[in-house]
Amino acid sequence: MNQVGSKRIVFLFRTYNDIDHIAPVAWKATISGWPTFLFFVDKNLIDDYRIQFLFKQGAFQLSIPFLDNFLRKSEKWRKAFFVRRLLKWTLSFLLGTYLLRKHEIEIIVIEWTGHLGRGLSELFLRPARSFMLPVFSIPHGYFLWKNPNFNQVVEVGLKASGKFPDFSDRDWFKSYVVQSEEHKAMNVQSGMDPSKIRILGSARFCSEWTEINDKLMLRVCPKTDNDQRFCVLFFLPHWDYQVERKSCISLLKKIIEEPGLFLVIKAHTRGTGALSHEEQENLRNAGDVSFAHEDQHSPALIRDADLVVNFGSSIGFDALRRGISVINPRYLHRNKTFFDDSGAVFDTFDEAETLKMISAIKARKIAAKDPEEIARFLRRRVDNGGNGDDVLASYLELFAGEQ
């Protein structure tokens, strides 16, 4: 691939998911000789292992400590909304302009969001508009859905007005990156100009970053080394994404009760897939179960699992990339995803079939999915039609104006 001309670039990080999906692009920019800056627009995420890795590779942090503390405290001024807005608007021009000019920033990269972003993003986005700096909105997740009413918020809006959420303000970005034709079509239905939307592969799940990420993570297996039980790793989804919660809890309990199995449960990283205290206690009473902590990263858990149960989450790509079998219990939600009928996972349609499938895989009574079928699936859904080693470079080409 042709060398991309370097640009002075700042990446805005708001949440853990931003790091998941945006850090790979920041890494590629850094090692490609781009002067790369990071700014945390909400929580200070400096301790994350990927952020520390970026610093070691040569990235720099932008920060004005007194400003960060002051503005974050001002978010609590609920009774002074207009004062807070005026303050942020003014400081956006003054201090945002100072940061952009001092570091000669040429490009800004932010998560999927509206034209002013969230948290402290507008410190950069307001002056960027005045200076006509290009701002790119890139994925902070992966859009899996084939049906339009994929969560309760969208479903309520569609029922009430027959309309999708209004994304027309996102046309302000230089480009808005998605990972599939289906997601592009959904955003067009939400009012976006199709010419603004670019389809690239997944930075988070592409083969190039997967290899790097594997080297960075420590082993975090919840089992002891002498525990020979078959490890089933279950990823919880967003509960408000059309999930049959009672059926999900029932399946978890039945897996725990199965002899010779060890169940590890990982809540969704956005905090909307957590179990209640009562649910956790009921599951503990059913048998031996481990609840993964927030600092136990999903890819590391997958490496030490024998089987992954996943529906409604893109983490299934990570399991397939690492050669771990995936069960897709489709009956646990009302959504349709790219995993359904993909040939890369084991689809199940009720609790009994799911338990039977787990037992069959454990006993090796069923053949693993065809590696070529899995590779085709990943090429289409993650690697943008290629082998995954040029996905990150394609983002830099877009930023540099070479696409």
Side-chain angles (χ1 to χ4, degrees):
M1 184 165 292
N2 294 333
Q3 183 69 27
V4 180
S6 66
K7 301 282 186 177
R8 299 179 68 84
I9 187 168
V10 61
F11 292 86
L12 307 184
F13 291 96
R14 184 176 64 89
T15 66
Y16 174 92
N17 288 76
D18 289 355
I19 296 178
D20 241 358
H21 292 266
I22 298 176
V25 184
W27 168 75
K28 192 67 173 182
T30 303
I31 66 165
S32 299
W34 291 38
T36 302
F37 302 87
L38 317 178
F39 187 85
F40 304 121
V41 302
D42 194 344
K43 297 178 181 178
N44 190 331
L45 302 167
I46 196 169
D47 292 331
D48 186 274
Y49 73 95
R50 291 154 297 188
I51 295 297
Q52 288 298 313
F53 176 63
L54 291 177
F55 290 149
K56 290 177 181 177
Q57 298 299 304
F60 305 94
Q61 181 186 5
L62 295 187
S63 178
I64 305 178
F66 80 87
L67 171 65
D68 292 352
N69 294 333
F70 181 70
L71 287 181
R72 289 186 175 110
K73 287 180 180 179
S74 76
E75 293 295 325
K76 300 178 182 179
W77 301 351
R78 302 301 180 188
K79 295 182 180 180
F81 175 79
F82 293 106
V83 173
R84 186 175 76 245
R85 292 302 305 160
L86 179 61
L87 174 67
K88 289 184 70 174
W89 187 85
T90 303
L91 290 177
S92 294
F93 281 106
L94 297 179
L95 294 173
T97 296
Y98 165 76
L99 286 173
L100 290 173
R101 287 185 169 175
K102 177 183 178 181
H103 299 285
E104 301 179 315
I105 300 299
E106 299 172 90
I107 292 173
I108 299 170
V109 178
I110 193 172
E111 62 171 335
W112 283 334
T113 185
H115 70 295
L116 287 180
R118 286 172 279 193
L120 301 181
S121 299
E122 60 184 286
L123 286 178
F124 290 88
L125 300 189
R126 285 190 183 279
R129 175 175 291 183
S130 299
F131 301 149
M132 300 183 68
L133 292 180
V135 182
F136 295 86
S137 181
I138 70 174
H140 61 199
Y142 191 105
F143 191 86
L144 285 174
W145 322 112
K146 293 182 178 180
N147 52 298
N149 58 330
F150 56 91
N151 68 24
Q152 292 178 6
V153 173
V154 175
E155 184 172 53
V156 169
L158 286 172
K159 287 182 178 179
S161 64
K163 297 180 179 179
F164 287 86
D166 185 7
F167 281 5
S168 58
D169 68 339
R170 303 185 185 201
D171 286 344
W172 174 78
F173 294 111
K174 177 70 173 179
S175 292
Y176 190 90
V177 178
V178 299
Q179 300 123 327
S180 69
E181 289 285 355
E182 292 88 343
H183 194 188
K184 178 178 180 178
M186 197 78 71
N187 282 355
V188 171
Q189 286 182 301
S190 294
M192 285 193 69
D193 179 349
S195 68
K196 286 286 184 177
I197 305 172
R198 300 301 303 271
I199 300 172
L200 300 179
S202 170
R204 164 67 175 85
F205 297 113
C206 72
S207 59
E208 182 180 16
W209 178 250
T210 297
E211 184 176 348
I212 296 295
N213 201 26
D214 273 350
K215 295 176 181 178
L216 298 178
M217 289 183 303
L218 299 175
R219 185 170 182 264
V220 295
C221 184
K223 291 197 305 182
T224 60
D225 289 336
N226 60 357
D227 191 339
Q228 299 302 311
R229 287 174 298 172
F230 189 83
C231 182
V232 178
L233 176 58
F234 196 114
F235 286 100
L236 297 178
H238 291 288
W239 291 125
D240 61 350
Y241 274 44
Q242 312 291 15
V243 176
E244 303 292 347
R245 185 164 183 159
K246 289 183 179 180
S247 296
C248 185
I249 300 300
S250 175
L251 176 60
L252 290 171
K253 185 173 181 292
K254 292 293 179 59
I255 294 174
I256 294 170
E257 293 171 344
E258 285 286 314
L261 297 182
F262 180 76
L263 178 65
V264 179
I265 300 174
K266 174 66 171 175
H268 199 281
T269 54
R270 294 186 192 173
T272 60
L275 295 168
S276 68
H277 176 74
E278 181 181 359
E279 287 170 334
Q280 287 194 31
E281 286 304 304
N282 287 338
L283 292 174
R284 285 194 180 98
N285 291 335
D288 197 5
V289 60
S290 175
F291 300 98
H293 301 297
E294 287 186 6
D295 59 354
Q296 292 179 296
H297 297 283
S298 297
L301 291 169
I302 289 172
R303 284 192 310 200
D304 288 308
D306 296 303
L307 172 67
V308 166
V309 180
N310 172 74
F311 66 98
S313 172
S314 58
I315 196 64
F317 292 129
D318 239 337
L320 294 176
R321 180 72 78 190
R322 289 170 170 81
I324 307 297
S325 292
V326 176
I327 291 179
N328 175 34
R330 295 167 58 169
Y331 73 100
L332 291 181
H333 64 163
R334 300 189 299 279
N335 285 329
K336 306 298 181 185
T337 76
F338 295 149
F339 289 106
D340 301 344
D341 302 314
S342 64
V345 301
F346 293 95
D347 294 315
T348 60
F349 298 89
D350 58 38
E351 184 174 272
E353 183 183 9
T354 305
L355 294 170
K356 183 178 180 180
M357 183 64 70
I358 293 173
S359 296
I361 294 173
K362 175 179 178 292
R364 299 183 180 180
K365 293 181 178 179
I366 187 171
K369 290 295 181 178
D370 181 6
E372 282 301 315
E373 190 71 35
I374 293 173
R376 282 193 292 271
F377 178 63
L378 292 175
R379 280 196 297 271
R380 181 184 181 193
R381 291 301 178 187
V382 175
D383 293 332
N384 203 27
N387 59 13
D389 61 1
D390 59 355
V391 169
L392 301 181
S394 71
Y395 280 78
L396 299 193
E397 289 185 342
L398 176 65
F399 300 159
E402 297 186 15
Q403 279 202 13

